[in-house]
Amino acid sequence: MAMTDATRAAAPRAGSRRSQNAPTDIDLTDNDLTKVDASKSDPTEVDRTEVGATVAAGRAAQELNLKRGEFELAVHLGIVRITAEEAGGRPRVSREEIDRLRSGDGFPDALRERVRTVGTAEGARLLGISPVRFTRLARAGCITPVAFYLNRYRAIVWLYLAQELLGFAAGAPQLLTGNSPAWMRTCLGAGTDWRTRNWRSHRIERLLSRTDDPWARAAVLACALDPVQLAEVVDDPYERAYLRKVRPGPVFGPPGSVAARDTMTHLMRADDPDEILWRRVNLVLELDSAREARPAPHPGDDRRPDPDCSVPGPVSVPVPPPERDSGPVQVAGLLARLGLRRREALCRGGEERSSGEDR
């Protein structure tokens, strides 16, 4: 009987604790339960209230039913437009952009088809040719890879857009059958392989199309030069450091594999002399625009005095330089800005030392 009374005495206390701790579980209507269940099952509604008009790249990929690699390729191709919250911040995607893509015809299959990539074997089956002929077409520059990955042997495996392959087959069906043309046989006979250079050129063009900032554009062009060549064109070490800082990066950050990062850096650098010269000229022109827009930050910029408030010094009369022919001066100045005059002087000095040793 004592146990029964204790149990009866404890029951109202337990009920009172429940009523105090969980008052929202009582008197909920069916509509309220539906709202609670919907908020729990749809994390998109929570993200809209937390981050406002933009979402992170990972959340955008989930809502667009894209894998990380497919989403990054979609951003690279300009299919998905991204925005940055602040300078140097991770890219984000606006809610309007996600709604635009989700409202497209055939979503999500049509969107995934636009970023579908194939390798050599699948691409050859798509075109109805042998893998050997497919590789010859790629090496000759007829088709351009859009991405790559490293297999378990750390060999480069090129990937191609399926839609671009179908467009190539419709535009040049004569290259899919019969004998290869003479120019292709000559190109392949010389050991030429245009896959890396074409991939690099297309990647640089797409990266340039994603930004209007002159320093970021110069940073994209600087990726095509090795550190020695870059130092010959950009003498200021603080400008080189700023170029590394504002360089556009992948959507989800750099690859986790060291081998993948090294391979990306190696493939981005020009190796042919004509391409190196072309990248140097473009970098010099882009640097001119960047320096006119704003100077690169240097140590102590915040402590520099205002030039309008500085004490004027003695006035000096400029002495005009001697008259010279404008043609050679402009050529010499361009060679100096490209860093080629310095290299020529070093090579000439080495030749003179070697000739002196021979005597």
Side-chain angles (χ1 to χ4, degrees), residues 30-180:
D30 294 338
N31 294 333
D32 294 333
L33 289 173
T34 304
K35 293 179 181 180
V36 172
D37 294 337
S39 63
K40 291 180 180 179
S41 60
D42 189 4
T44 305
E45 299 297 333
V46 179
D47 289 344
R48 289 185 181 180
T49 58
E50 288 181 354
V51 300
T54 61
V55 298
R59 168 57 61 183
Q62 293 179 5
E63 295 191 24
L64 296 176
N65 293 339
L66 295 177
K67 300 178 182 178
R68 289 171 65 95
E70 294 174 339
F71 181 82
E72 191 159 2
L73 182 58
V75 172
H76 181 64
L77 297 176
I79 299 175
V80 178
R81 296 187 294 264
I82 59 175
T83 58
E85 288 294 304
E86 56 185 5
R90 286 294 180 88
R92 301 182 66 88
V93 183
S94 64
R95 176 58 54 184
E96 293 77 9
E97 179 69 7
I98 296 177
D99 294 339
R100 180 185 69 85
L101 294 171
R102 289 179 62 91
S103 62
D105 297 336
F107 177 85
D109 295 336
L111 178 60
R112 299 192 66 176
E113 182 63 23
R114 296 175 65 183
V115 295
R116 184 168 72 93
T117 57
V118 295
T120 299
E122 189 176 355
R125 288 194 300 268
L126 190 63
L127 298 182
I129 59 178
S130 65
V132 175
R133 192 181 189 95
F134 186 92
T135 303
R136 289 171 62 87
L137 291 173
R139 290 183 57 191
C142 299
I143 50 181
T144 301
V146 71
F148 72 93
Y149 70 91
L150 299 180
N151 60 12
R152 58 181 177 179
Y153 305 106
R154 294 191 177 182
I156 298 175
V157 180
W158 293 109
L159 299 175
Y160 306 83
L161 278 177
Q163 288 190 347
E164 287 188 357
L165 294 182
L166 296 176
F168 166 75
Q174 69 278 5
L175 296 178
L176 303 180
T177 58
N179 297 328
S180 301

Side-chain angles (χ1 to χ4, degrees), residues 302-317:
D302 297 338
R303 297 188 298 270
R304 290 183 181 178
D306 189 356
D308 297 335
C309 301
S310 59
V311 179
V315 179
S316 59
V317 179

